[in-house]
């Protein structure tokens, strides 16, 4: 029987007892033998050589036969292996795209489609059953199938089928080892064979995108969990209002409704704010929500840790203020660092535009998906950032064996059975139950079966009995047109056709920026965004009452914010509030707090007000801006504190004269960020419930049932954190900037009080806590970087490691060293424009990055520039595996050829695909 193999990134399997551990060790030993064989060219029972490793490398020159083509397709690759495709029909173009992406990235594509379908266990064994069960409960692949069958246009279906045909043409006749070295490893422990690609496999990827960009679901859980330790006022302190007076929203000029130019107050009056939950109904939910949060940590976050860290920068400047006289557009999405990069650079060109062949576009796409996601065509350019709309709600459900309670009556569940096939083991069957609010996600954890016996509830809530189940309502669980929108964007010619495409981009809800060759710039907020009957979606709602829930119709597209040629001459989107407080619909209560966006606004304004023009190089420099806003605010306070300890004083002096820029060689940046991390821990982190703190970090806290004075001998218990380090709180993002700003002038706030610890005395004031944080930071960095502060640097703390997203993450150390790359010492930081994010609760390692950067020179397309985090290839030993990374680290961009002559000039390899 095959042993279990390792799991994908972000997943962990159950221990499975001694037998499971023995199997795991056996699998690891097999993989180690394989790696030794691959590297050294020897093997046990088989001959492994360099030719075995290279067997999966793509053919990039000469010619190949590709069944189904109507004509020839040229695949021109530059010195970085980036392909530009030339064809005479849409079908040939997308068939070739599928073939070429499979050449470079099929292992990544295959793992991704198993994730989106809840079928990881078929590849990686029983350790993935729980993850698969949760994903089957969400039903991503089921909804994608419904979209393909019933919703998407015929043209979109044809393109998807052509793409799938191209992938399958590549797979035809190839064994696993001929596709990727990872299959060679997998083949020693599993008889898995890749199945044919289907159009639905491509559509389902949009559901994974939507999941990772789903908005405030984690905040909704976290606020509920905080009720076990904090009161309402304290929770409000930690989730302050958006600072509209300091940080500009995206839209401040122009129309909102393209139909009326105003709002229908009667239609939008339901967007009331305030608490959503029946009083007392969530008090007993900590067990459920903590377990749900643990389950969410198990799901691979393909785009990055969910929350305010997932973001992006994009901005566009009118030609009135540029050196080119045409718009310049920049974009850099902030996502999880992974190897290969999530993005795949590509050009899709019809040799002649016609009804038969409609595309001439280039940019960034995802392996496994046809078309271009972000980029430009011959007429327009566009970029994305996450809008962050609240498109998920958790509903408490009163359930029984017969169904769920709704308005005093028991309604039957919608039920479906799912079979999970397991490599090397027996198949598992699960039952998915759904209410009118969505699937019961609480069914996927044994701890959630009977909960809430002690939950304090009021008469407004039903009898608790066995507690409450938790259902997830999410816009992405309804079939939609987002795949149509991808192709419509690629063909758009002007702002009108761009907005028409945006209308179909329902999930995930994104900020779309725009520029065209006629000099116009614009912005559109698209998305299927719910209108709530009652409440604001910040806490779980009672599912048993029809007073809550969503209206049947979402916010009308014509009432979503947009701008076209605003008078100020530029548009900035960086996950800040979209529009001011006067907007009558509720988009979300959990915006990013606008630190990055305001810095970009300020940089643009300073250039314009100084009479200068913005160049492509200026846009590139802005993307690398390392300034720390929180440092600029706190350093003057820190320097005023009298420090007696000479070693701590020595570190404090690093901050004197520091300009708050976070260069990789900066000792001051290293020390400040360590101080910031310790301020957050002392003031907030140690006061949060265990469900939000880092797993394994333990504190002595008062017993829950203790009243009166705290006696260490009788009333303190050891309590350890439970949250994954990448998603723990306080994460140090710009929400925490705003929290500290609001408290900074109150020296005696209760948040500055911290108990005695070891030799440290208790703190009672802000400056006492800051002094203790400076001391703790000094000794933390001494342990990490050495006692000599002249050797300190931010980059030594703040490192990027690129990990292969399957065997390179959970595999044995030797295999990880073969598949992974790094470390690189980075500058930038949390909420800087150069957003190399780190989680202050978990440490300093980079957990999200500008996953690509581009600056589009509109109209003069061949002077545009771009860079990817890694490289074009997913093959671990390819020259194009990480050949862009060093340049990415240094803030460099590659020339981006688009026109036929420019592409010809930069072409290194040409492959002709023939019918």
């Amino acid at each position: 029987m095959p042993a279990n193999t390792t799991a994908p990134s972000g997943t962990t399997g159950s221990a499975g007892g001694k037998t499971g551990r023995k199997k795991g060790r056996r699998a690891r030993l097999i993989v180690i033998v394989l790696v030794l064989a691959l590297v050294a060219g020897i093997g046990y029972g088989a001959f492994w050589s360099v030719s075995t490793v290279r067997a999966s490398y793509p053919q990039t020159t000469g010619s190949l036969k590709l069944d189904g083509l109507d004509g020839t397709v040229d695949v021109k690759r530059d010195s970085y292996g980036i392909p530009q495709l030339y064809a005479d029909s849409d079908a040939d173009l997308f068939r070739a795209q599928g073939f070429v992406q499979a050449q470079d990235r099929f292992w990544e594509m295959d793992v991704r489609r198993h994730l989106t379908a809840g079928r990881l266990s078929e590849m990686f064994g029983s350790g993935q059953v729980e993850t698969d069960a949760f994903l089957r409960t969400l039903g991503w692949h089921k909804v994608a199938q419904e979209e393909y069958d019933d919703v998407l246009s015929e043209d979109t279906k044809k393109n998807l089928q052509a793409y799938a045909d191209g992938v399958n043409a590549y797979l035809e006749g190839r064994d696993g080892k001929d596709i990727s070295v990872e299959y060679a490893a997998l083949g020693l422990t599993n008889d898995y064979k890749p199945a044919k690609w289907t159009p639905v496999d491509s559509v389902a990827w949009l559901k994974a995108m939507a999941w990772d960009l789903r908005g405030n679901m984690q905040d909704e859980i976290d606020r509920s969990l905080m009720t076990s330790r904090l009161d309402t006022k304290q929770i409000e302190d930690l989730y302050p209002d958006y600072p509209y007076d300091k940080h500009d929203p995206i839209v401040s000029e122009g129309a909102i409704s393209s139909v009326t130019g105003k709002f229908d107050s009667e239609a939008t009056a339901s967007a009331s704010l305030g608490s959503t939950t029946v009083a007392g109904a969530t008090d007993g939910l900590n067990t459920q929500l903590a377990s749900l949060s643990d389950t969410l940590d198990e799901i691979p976050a393909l785009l990055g840790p969910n929350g305010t860290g997932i973001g992006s920068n994009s901005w566009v400047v009118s030609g009135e203020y540029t050196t080119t006289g045409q718009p310049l557009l920049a974009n850099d999405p902030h996502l999880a660092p992974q190897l290969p990069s999530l993005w795949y650079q590509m050009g899709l060109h019809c040799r002649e535009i016609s009804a038969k062949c409609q595309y001439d576009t280039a940019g960034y796409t995802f392996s496994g998906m046809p078309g271009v996601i972000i980029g430009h065509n011959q007429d327009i350019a566009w970029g994305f950032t996450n809008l962050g709309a609240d498109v998920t709600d958790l509903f408490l459900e009163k359930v029984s064996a017969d169904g769920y309670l709704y308005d005093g009556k028991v309604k039957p569940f919608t039920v479906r059975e799912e079979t999970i096939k397991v490599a090397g083991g027996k198949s598992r069957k699960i039952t998915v139950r759904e209410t009118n609010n969505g699937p019961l996600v609480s069914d996927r954890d044994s701890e959630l079966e009977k909960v809430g016996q002690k939950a304090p509830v009021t008469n407004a809530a039903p009898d608790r009995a066995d507690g409450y189940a938790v259902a997830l309502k999410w816009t992405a669980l309804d079939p939609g047109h987002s795949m149509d929108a991808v192709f419509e964007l690629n063909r758009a010619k002007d702002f009108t056709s761009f907005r028409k495409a945006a209308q179909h981009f329902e999930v995930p809800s994104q900020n779309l920026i725009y520029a065209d060759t006629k000099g116009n710039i614009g912005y559109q907020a698209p998305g299927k965004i719910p209108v709530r009957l009652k409440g604001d979606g910040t806490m779980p709602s009672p599912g048993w009452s029809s007073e809550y829930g969503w209206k049947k119709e979402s916010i009308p597209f014509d009432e979503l914010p947009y701008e076209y040629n605003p008078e100020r001459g530029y548009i900035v989107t960086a996950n800040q509030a979209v529009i001011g407080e006067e907007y009558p619909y509720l988009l979300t209560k959990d915006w990013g707090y606008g630190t990055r966006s305001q810095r970009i606004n300020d940089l643009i304004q300073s250039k314009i007000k100084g009479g200068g023009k913005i160049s492509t190089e200026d846009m590139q420099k802005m993307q690398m801006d390392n300034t720390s806003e929180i440092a600029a605010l706190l350093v003057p306070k820190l320097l005023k504190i009298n420090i007696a300890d000479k070693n701590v004083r020595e570190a404090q002096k690093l901050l004197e004269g520091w300009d708050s820029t976070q260069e990789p060689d900066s000792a001051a940046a290293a020390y400040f960020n360590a101080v910031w991390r310790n301020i957050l821990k002392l003031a907030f982190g140690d006061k949060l419930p265990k469900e939000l703190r880092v797993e394994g970090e333990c504190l002595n806290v008062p017993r829950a049932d203790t009243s009166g004075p705290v006696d260490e001998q009788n009333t303190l218990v050891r309590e350890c954190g439970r949250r994954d380090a990448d998603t723990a709180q306080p994460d140090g993002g710009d929400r925490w900037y705003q929290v500290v700003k609001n408290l900074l002038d109150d020296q005696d706030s209760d948040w500055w009080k911290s108990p005695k610890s070891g030799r440290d005395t208790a703190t009672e004031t802000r400056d006492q806590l800051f002094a203790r944080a400076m001391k703790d930071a000094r000794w933390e960095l001494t342990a990490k970087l050495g006692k000599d502060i002249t050797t300190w640097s931010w980059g030594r703390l703040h490192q990027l490691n690129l990990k292969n997203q399957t065997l390179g993450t959970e595999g044995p150390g030797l295999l990880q060293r073969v598949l992974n790359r790094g470390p690189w010492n980075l500058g930038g930081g949390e909420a800087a424009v150069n957003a190399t994010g780190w989680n202050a609760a978990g440490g300093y390692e980079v957990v999200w990055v500008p996953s690509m950067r581009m600056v589009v020179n509109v109209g003069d397309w061949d002077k545009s520039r771009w860079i990817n985090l890694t490289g074009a290839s997913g093959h671990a030993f390819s020259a194009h595996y990480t050949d862009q990374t060093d340049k990415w680290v240094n803030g460099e961009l590659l020339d981006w050829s688009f026109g036929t002559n420019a592409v010809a000039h930069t072409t290194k390899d040409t492959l002709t695909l023939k019918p």
Side-chain angles (χ1 to χ4, degrees), residues 422-442:
V422 181
K426 295 181 179 179
S427 296
R428 312 285 180 86
K429 290 187 177 181
I430 64 167
T431 300
V432 178
R433 303 186 297 172
E434 296 187 13
T435 74
N436 60 341
N437 290 313
L440 291 181
V441 290
S442 54

Side-chain angles (χ1 to χ4, degrees), residues 472-590:
L472 171 64
K473 195 172 185 69
W474 179 31
T475 56
L477 298 184
D478 296 324
H481 291 272
S482 292
M483 196 69 235
D484 287 334
V486 172
F487 296 111
E488 290 171 354
L489 273 176
N490 286 195
R491 299 192 305 264
K493 302 293 185 184
D494 52 28
F495 195 60
T496 299
S497 53
F498 169 80
R499 291 193 73 215
K500 184 178 178 182
Q503 185 170 0
H504 283 152
F505 206 94
E506 297 165 337
V507 292
S509 186
Q510 299 288 285
N511 296 307
L512 295 179
I513 61 166
Y514 167 93
D516 65 35
T517 54
K518 295 181 180 179
N520 302 302
I521 65 173
Y523 163 83
Q524 178 65 56
K528 187 177 181 181
I529 303 173
V531 178
R532 290 167 177 82
L533 293 169
K534 190 174 183 179
D536 61 7
T538 58
M539 297 280 270
S541 298
W544 51 79
S545 172
S546 60
E547 294 181 11
Y548 295 84
W550 298 351
K551 284 191 172 185
K552 185 177 181 179
E553 300 297 331
S554 57
I555 299 175
F557 179 78
D558 286 328
E559 300 296 340
L560 289 170
Y562 82 92
E563 281 191 326
Y564 188 56
N565 292 329
E567 194 173 311
R568 65 183 177 277
Y570 60 90
I571 301 169
V572 175
T573 87
N575 319 113
Q576 78 271 40
V578 169
I579 196 166
E581 295 175 281
E582 73 282 357
Y583 185 66
Y585 288 106
L586 175 65
L587 298 177
T588 185
K589 292 281 284 183
D590 291 301

Side-chain angles (χ1 to χ4, degrees), residues 666-683:
S666 170
Y671 182 59
F672 172 78
N673 282 315
V675 173
W676 171 238
R677 166 174 149 82
N678 280 279
I679 287 173
L680 292 171
K681 180 178 184 297
L682 292 169

Side-chain angles (χ1 to χ4, degrees), residues 794-859:
W794 176 225
R796 286 179 61 199
L797 277 180
H798 189 53
Q799 293 187 324
L800 169 67
N801 287 282
L802 293 174
K803 298 180 180 180
N804 179 284
Q805 288 302 288
T806 50
L807 304 180
T809 303
E810 300 289 342
L814 179 57
L815 184 58
Q816 292 189 34
R817 287 192 291 275
V818 169
L819 295 177
N820 299 343
R821 299 292 182 270
W824 285 269
N825 296 346
L826 298 190
E830 185 64 38
V833 178
N834 182 21
T836 56
W838 55 287
N839 186 305
Y844 304 96
E845 184 175 359
V846 176
V847 297
W848 50 75
V849 293
S851 55
M852 63 80 159
R853 299 186 184 102
M854 73 177 193
V855 178
V856 182
N857 196 317
V858 177

Side-chain angles (χ1 to χ4, degrees), residues 184-509:
L186 195 65
L188 293 184
T189 60
N190 187 347
D191 60 359
Y192 172 81
K193 302 294 183 185
K196 287 187 175 182
W197 192 264
T198 73
V200 178
D201 292 333
S202 296
V203 179
W205 171 235
L206 286 172
K207 302 303 174 186
M209 280 183 61
W211 176 253
D212 279 355
L213 300 173
R214 63 193 179 271
N216 77 335
M217 182 175 168
Q218 191 65 59
D219 288 327
E220 189 174 339
I221 292 171
D222 288 355
R223 274 188 289 260
S224 299
L225 293 172
M226 286 179 184
T227 60
S228 69
R229 186 65 56 83
L230 305 176
D231 60 32
T232 301
K233 174 60 169 62
Q234 290 172 317
I235 295 173
E236 289 175 353
D237 285 347
L238 302 188
Y239 287 89
D241 292 334
Y242 184 85
Y244 286 100
D245 58 331
K246 302 291 185 183
H247 294 165
D248 297 334
I250 297 171
V251 173
S252 59
E253 302 175 28
I256 296 168
S257 169
S258 63
V259 176
T260 65
K262 59 183 180 181
F263 297 108
D264 181 345
S265 59
E266 182 178 346
T268 59
S270 61
S272 59
L273 305 182
S275 175
T276 69
T277 310
V278 173
T282 59
D283 291 351
L285 283 179
N286 286 347
T287 303
Q288 298 100 312
L289 294 175
S291 294
L292 176 58
S293 185
D294 291 344
T295 301
L296 297 180
D297 274 347
E298 303 282 326
I299 307 305
L302 293 178
L303 304 187
N306 185 261
T308 56
I310 280 198
S312 302
N313 301 322
S314 71
W315 64 95
V316 61
V317 182
S318 167
E320 180 183 356
Y321 297 115
T322 68
T323 58
T324 66
Q326 287 279 8
L328 294 174
L329 186 151
N331 198 186
D332 56 284
H334 307 155
L335 306 172
Q338 53 188 274
L339 183 59
S341 167
L342 187 76
W343 297 107
Y344 186 91
Q345 294 152 290
M346 200 169 213
L348 301 173
H349 308 278
C350 290
R351 295 188 180 100
E352 186 174 324
I353 299 295
S354 67
K356 182 182 177 181
C357 202
Q358 306 174 73
Y359 297 87
D360 188 13
T361 185
Y364 297 83
T365 187
F366 303 118
S367 56
M369 183 179 293
V372 167
I373 304 299
I374 294 174
H376 71 84
N377 58 31
Q378 70 274 36
D379 297 305
I380 75 165
W382 67 92
F384 282 11
T385 64
N386 193 24
L387 192 151
D390 185 357
V391 295
T392 61
D393 275 344
L394 296 174
F395 283 84
L396 316 183
E397 302 285 1
K398 180 58 188 171
V399 303
S400 65
D402 298 323
Y404 59 97
L405 188 68
Y406 187 70
D407 281 350
K409 296 180 180 180
V410 175
K411 290 196 167 190
F413 296 110
T414 300
V415 177
R416 70 177 190 272
E417 302 289 333
E418 296 275 354
T419 300
I420 299 171
K421 296 179 180 179
V422 181
K426 295 181 179 179
S427 296
R428 312 285 180 86
K429 290 187 177 181
I430 64 167
T431 300
V432 178
R433 303 186 297 172
E434 296 187 13
T435 74
N436 60 341
N437 290 313
L440 291 181
V441 290
S442 54
D443 278 356
R444 299 282 72 88
D445 194 306
S446 59
E447 294 181 22
L448 305 178
E449 292 177 358
K450 290 189 177 183
V451 293
Q453 278 85 350
K454 297 182 180 180
V457 295
T458 68
N459 292 333
D463 177 28
R464 61 180 172 246
D466 291 334
Y468 302 113
V470 182
L472 171 64
K473 195 172 185 69
W474 179 31
T475 56
L477 298 184
D478 296 324
H481 291 272
S482 292
M483 196 69 235
D484 287 334
V486 172
F487 296 111
E488 290 171 354
L489 273 176
N490 286 195
R491 299 192 305 264
K493 302 293 185 184
D494 52 28
F495 195 60
T496 299
S497 53
F498 169 80
R499 291 193 73 215
K500 184 178 178 182
Q503 185 170 0
H504 283 152
F505 206 94
E506 297 165 337
V507 292
S509 186

